């Protein structure tokens, strides 16, 4: 009987060591997800919400660094006033963010 129990315990030990071999890989994957993927998803969601909430009169900055005020919304395009009598049309996706309140053009 003693031989049978030692065979079963060795088998369980081999299975446990196999699972433990994957533990560091699993831990690395969880850390990667928490440190890289979750923040990127949150940032993307925040940007999408900001682009959807744009309205006339908002002061924005484009990805090219141009400061402007929204004067027209046309689906995926936005018309910006960047100086007196100067308007440009840019894609909604080209808006990187809103201007800080204290910042003037």
């Amino acid at each position: 009987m003693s031989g049978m129990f030692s065979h079963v315990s060795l088998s369980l030990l081999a299975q446990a060591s196999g699972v433990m071999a994957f533990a560091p890989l699993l831990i690395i994957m969880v850390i990667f997800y928490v440190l890289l993927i979750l923040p990127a998803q949150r940032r993307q969601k925040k940007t999408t919400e900001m682009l959807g909430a744009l309205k006339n009169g908002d002061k924005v900055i484009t990805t090219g660094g141009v400061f402007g005020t929204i004067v027209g919304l046309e689906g995926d395009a936005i018309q910006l006033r960047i100086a007196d009598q100067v308007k440009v049309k840019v894609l909604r996706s080209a808006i990187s963010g809103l201007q800080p309140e204290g910042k003037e053009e």
Side-chain angles (χ1 to χ4, degrees), residues 29-46:
M29 288 174 31
V30 168
I31 290 171
F32 181 79
Y33 182 79
V34 169
L35 292 179
L36 296 176
I37 296 174
L38 277 181
Q41 287 177 339
R42 289 183 188 133
R43 191 171 35 256
Q44 180 65 35
K45 183 178 178 185
K46 186 177 175 183

Side-chain angles (χ1 to χ4, degrees), residues 67-81:
F67 288 73
T69 303
I70 297 176
V71 294
L73 298 167
E74 307 165 4
D76 284 344
I78 294 177
Q79 195 166 36
L80 294 179
R81 185 181 72 239

Side-chain angles (χ1 to χ4, degrees), residues 83-95:
D84 291 335
Q85 303 299 318
V86 179
K87 295 178 185 174
V88 295
K89 187 184 282 190
V90 297
L91 288 175
R92 203 177 273 264
S93 61
I95 304 297

